[in-house]
Amino acid sequence: MSPRITELEVTDIRFPTSLQLDGSDAMNPDPDYSAAYVALRTDDPTVEGYGFTFTIGRGNDVAAAAIRALAPYVVGRPAPRTAADLGTVYRDLTHDSQLRWLGPEKGVMHMAAGAVVNAAWDLAARRAGQPVWRFLAGMSPEELVGLVDFRYLTDALTPDEALEILRAAEPGRAERAARLLAEGYPGYATSPGWLGYDDGKLVRLAKEAVTDGFTQIKLKVGADLDDDVRRLRLAREAVGPGIRIAVDANQRWDVAEAVRWMQALAPFDPYWIEEPTSPDDILAHAAIRRAQPARVATGEHVANRVMFKQLLQAGAVDVVQIDAARVAGVNENLAILLLAAKYGVPVCPHAGGVGLCELVQHLAMFDYVGVSGAWEDRAIEYVDHLHEHFEDPVVLRAGRYRAPEAPGFSARMLEDSVAAHRYPDGPVWQEQTPSAAPPERTGDTAHRTTN
């Protein structure tokens, strides 16, 4: 008999990264990288799955509560194994009318659905004995299309068009998978560019990134124009003319301010401007793209496949940045990959945070093997934070992500790390001074629902 899901466990895990200003930017000056962490247990102790949604501290308990609200949709059902099973899980989690009212298909509830959907993918890939990127690459074009919710998309992408894209990529899958295993997938380094770092640290980390084999780095901008001009000049002098430097404003600007700022930075040849304005404002992105020389990139806060569709339809974006934990998991990210392929726009995933590099590498690698068939002008963001807390952490060599070979979604955290960083009662948080630790909250830090 197939095992059944018996338990949904949610744990509030936080890391005090604000103490060193790791992750600091113009909009988020004091992030504590956090995960509302999901474990799906079954009546077979060898069958389980893990997932999470990422936050930056306060609010992680809200995300955890939203995940708990989804327990009735998974507890008691057979553990997923096939594409059809995973399509059903995704639809059940995103189509409940009363929960959907909170979005619809956006915000904390949608991110919660993504955490559970991704845990289901981890579970199914573990059962198959394959990493998620290979698990996806082993599915037929028809199975893959069946994973996607095409509602609201057919004016831009129909199921038949998606089938055509996937069938065109199918003959080269084995060759591209072999190349991926041999060479790895390109990455780019964000670690040098946090706004809280002083100039000396910026220059040192930028040079180290080039030494480590990265051909692109990224700097945070948007707090002070004079500071940004100085920092970008220093970075360009440190890495030379042959290295791409992307910049990221984290939604800081209105249109006119974005144009003025990017024109001032233009002498240093910024490769793209990321999140220049509100992630919901398609027309503003289009206007910024027209009025200054850098490419426009966005996606880490884009709420769903419909917003990505509009960005592409409006010619508002040059680089699509999927996020493994922002939308409703693998299924919705597959829809976005297909939209990007239809419009011929490269995908450079957002990563960093807690475990986002671990997750999104699978999606980018599957895009190369099974959807776009390309990695030119594509790279996965890399941030050298917190990987040591994962059972199957990312591995980079010479600026490239090595393809994961362990079964699953690389989402499982080490038990000692979970225990140490559980909020607010884990020892890491008990050791924080009142001024350093976020406000305490009441209520359980872990919740189990059984059937």
Side-chain angles (χ1 to χ4, degrees), residues 24-41:
S24 54
D25 59 54
M27 207 61 140
N28 308 290
D30 59 348
D32 284 321
Y33 281 178
S34 305
Y37 181 63
V38 178
L40 294 178
R41 316 287 188 191

Side-chain angles (χ1 to χ4, degrees), residues 17 89 195 242:
T17 50
V89 170
L195 270 186

Side-chain angles (χ1 to χ4, degrees), residues 6-74:
T6 58
E7 188 174 16
L8 174 73
E9 180 182 289
V10 187
T11 309
D12 184 339
I13 301 169
R14 309 188 195 187
F15 297 86
T17 50
S18 62
L19 298 180
Q20 289 79 40
L21 298 180
D22 296 338
S24 54
D25 59 54
M27 207 61 140
N28 308 290
D30 59 348
D32 284 321
Y33 281 178
S34 305
Y37 181 63
V38 178
L40 294 178
R41 316 287 188 191
T42 74
D43 51 17
D44 180 344
T46 67
V47 177
E48 55 194 11
Y50 299 87
F52 51 85
T53 194
F54 169 69
T55 80
I56 61 166
R58 289 184 291 278
N60 205 48
D61 47 359
V62 178
I67 294 169
R68 293 177 193 127
L70 296 170
Y73 296 89
V74 291

Side-chain angles (χ1 to χ4, degrees), residues 302-373:
V302 174
N304 53 45
R305 67 198 185 283
V306 181
M307 296 291 291
F308 279 102
K309 179 194 77 168
Q310 292 180 74
L311 285 162
L312 291 163
Q313 286 176 315
V317 63
D318 298 285
V319 180
V320 165
Q321 295 179 300
I322 59 170
D323 184 286
R326 171 65 59 178
V327 299
V330 172
N331 301 61
E332 191 166 19
N333 269 308
L334 174 57
I336 298 161
L337 291 175
L338 287 164
L339 283 163
K342 163 75 181 293
Y343 283 84
V345 174
V347 175
C348 294
H350 169 250
V354 178
L356 296 181
C357 297
E358 277 70 21
L359 291 185
V360 84
Q361 63 180 335
H362 291 268
L363 302 177
M365 291 175 187
F366 169 67
D367 176 60
Y368 169 62
V369 173
V371 184
S372 70

